[in-house]
Amino acid sequence: MGVYEELGISPAINASGKMTALGGSVLDDTVVAAMAEAARNHVVMDDLMKVAGEVIAKATGAEDGCPTTGAASGIAIAVAALVAGMEPDRIERLPDPGDRPHEVLLLKGHSVNFGAPVRQMVALGGGRVVEVGSVNKVTAAHVEGAITGRTAALLYVQSHHTVHKGSVSLADMIAMGRRHDIPVIVDAAAEDDLRHWPATGADLVVFSGGKAIGGPTSGLVCGRRTLIEACRAQYTGIARPMKVGKETVLGLLQALRTYGDDEVGDGGRERMAALAAQLGGLPGVTATVERDEAGRNIHRAVLTVDPVTARLDAQGVARELAAGSPPVFLRDHQANTGRLSIDPRPITVAEEAELVTRISALLGAG
Ligand SMILES: *Cc1c(COP(=O)(O)O)cnc(C)c1O
């Protein structure tokens, strides 16, 4: 009996993506082995954190890096580093910023909830979000007009959650940051191109370790050396309750080393096309393959459910599959428009077959 079954829980079939609610990523054997070995030894954590910075630098092209428990804590730590720097009394006083600049300008369409609000992570680090512009329109003039002597950072959130239409570009944000000598933080939590975002000239970039990277529940901040040093210093203050363990650090580094090795090249397109061909024949189901809306190399099978013919709407299909045993999760954030998708990354070939069986049984063609 497995460790989950022993607790009376059946492991889920996850076709929805790298979802925190489903435990993030499933780790490959080399990552699990690195974590197990790390767990069996003591190590000087300060030394480990510095060396980790070098591995992160190599993987991202940034000058240095700092492991975190996730992208969420990475945002808090990045903000804390910019508010308090390296000064011990400032570090220990956070989240009270004292008289330091601590406003963090955030485009209104980027003020999202990824499971918790971005604004709250900024507050945790001693910052205060100032939302700029409107959800669907923010110009450079809006941002420039909001910059004052209290501004500590500009924050840019790169995500499928955020509204990018009608909004000032990252390049413009970085140019404004340079002009006013204000650092730019990019939250690239789920992005898969680890070198692209640091190369934009952003001062600090935050990634999740448990999403695209496929590592354990973890994260990292990378960027300019002096700022990363200030990030590490926050572990003597605000970041202490976000302490990252030796096992997690080693798991993250191993995932970074092997990142991209198993890229299929076509982002799952062929597998998903085969799946779409099987599921598209079901009553009331039209199936296509679509590329990721944020432009990443991920191709998903998209099922459009006609509730009359299928006798169940998309939300009902998702609900029934999740309620079965084992629970099956499709990507359902567009279910209100009749669309459900299947993400190729977290499912095995065996699970694909189970998925077809379950969906066929549910829609009365099994
Ligand atoms: C997932 C996500 C986060 C949080 O990442 P964790 O690693 O789970 O802490 C932050 N920002 C965005 C845009 C995300 O998608």
Side-chain angles (χ1 to χ4, degrees):
M1 196 189 270
V3 287
Y4 290 115
E5 285 88 348
E6 215 168 89
L7 296 169
I9 293 171
S10 34
I13 294 180
N14 173 19
S16 64
K18 307 283 184 90
M19 309 303 280
T20 294
L22 296 175
S25 289
V26 167
L27 308 180
D28 85 31
D29 290 344
T30 68
V31 173
V32 174
M35 294 180 77
E37 191 177 337
R40 293 193 195 100
N41 295 281
H42 290 285
V43 65
V44 177
M45 285 303 289
D46 280 349
D47 293 347
L48 177 60
M49 291 294 270
K50 289 214 180 90
V51 174
E54 293 168 17
V55 177
I56 292 170
K58 209 162 153 211
T60 60
E63 289 174 12
D64 198 355
C66 175
T68 63
T69 56
S73 54
I75 297 167
I77 290 170
V79 170
L82 297 180
V83 172
M86 296 288 293
E87 297 171 51
D89 56 322
R90 302 245 185 227
I91 289 171
E92 291 175 18
R93 199 188 300 147
L94 288 179
D96 174 4
D99 58 3
R100 293 277 299 167
H102 66 287
E103 289 183 359
V104 176
L105 304 189
L106 179 65
L107 309 184
K108 190 146 195 158
H110 289 203
S111 188
V112 296
N113 184 312
F114 54 79
V118 166
R119 344 173 19 118
Q120 188 175 31
M121 305 308 121
V122 171
L124 206 51
R128 191 172 71 80
V129 162
V130 174
E131 288 180 5
V132 182
S134 307
V135 170
N136 60 343
K137 188 173 171 70
V138 193
T139 63
H142 284 123
V143 179
E144 197 114 38
I147 294 176
T148 69
R150 296 182 301 276
T151 309
L154 308 182
L155 173 58
Y156 188 94
V157 181
Q158 171 62 32
S159 160
H160 69 275
H161 295 299
T162 54
V163 179
H164 292 287
K165 181 173 67 78
S167 132
V168 56
S169 70
L170 175 59
D172 288 342
M173 295 276 280
I174 289 167
M176 277 184 277
R178 289 269 157 78
R179 251 195 325 277
H180 294 270
D181 201 20
I182 294 170
V184 175
I185 304 170
V186 175
D187 171 8
E191 291 303 307
D192 60 1
D193 190 338
L194 304 185
R195 305 186 80 86
H196 173 76
W197 303 98
T200 57
D203 298 276
L204 289 173
V205 179
V206 177
F207 288 104
S208 183
K211 293 180 178 170
I213 293 169
T217 299
S218 61
L220 64 92
V221 186
C222 61
R224 277 169 43 203
R225 187 166 289 113
T226 51
L227 299 181
I228 293 297
E229 233 169 82
C231 286
R232 283 191 287 262
Q234 306 309 313
Y235 279 109
T236 59
I238 197 86
R240 178 59 187 246
M242 313 164 193
K243 180 171 69 181
V244 61
K246 58 190 184 305
E247 307 80 9
T248 301
V249 174
L250 269 290
L252 173 65
L253 299 189
Q254 179 58 27
L256 283 173
R257 276 196 205 94
T258 59
Y259 184 62
D261 283 1
D262 61 356
E263 283 278 88
V264 271
D266 77 342
R269 180 161 28 188
E270 209 170 295
R271 278 169 57 207
M272 292 302 107
L275 208 56
Q278 291 181 72
L279 295 170
L282 292 172
V285 178
T286 316
T288 55
V289 175
E290 290 181 18
R291 195 188 166 102
D292 175 57
E293 61 270 51
R296 296 171 298 179
N297 184 28
I298 306 167
H299 295 268
R300 301 190 180 92
V302 179
L303 313 180
T304 306
V305 181
D306 167 19
V308 178
T309 317
R311 294 188 314 265
L312 200 57
D313 65 8
Q315 277 157 329
V317 171
R319 198 173 49 239
E320 292 295 321
L321 290 173
S325 179
V328 171
F329 294 91
L330 302 189
R331 198 172 178 86
D332 67 352
H333 63 276
Q334 294 178 330
N336 60 326
T337 63
R339 288 158 54 90
L340 292 169
S341 50
I342 296 169
D343 191 297
R345 296 169 297 166
I347 47 166
T348 62
V349 172
E351 288 173 336
E352 278 175 29
E354 171 79 10
L355 201 65
V356 171
T357 307
R358 289 282 295 279
I359 296 176
S360 305
L362 179 65
L363 296 177

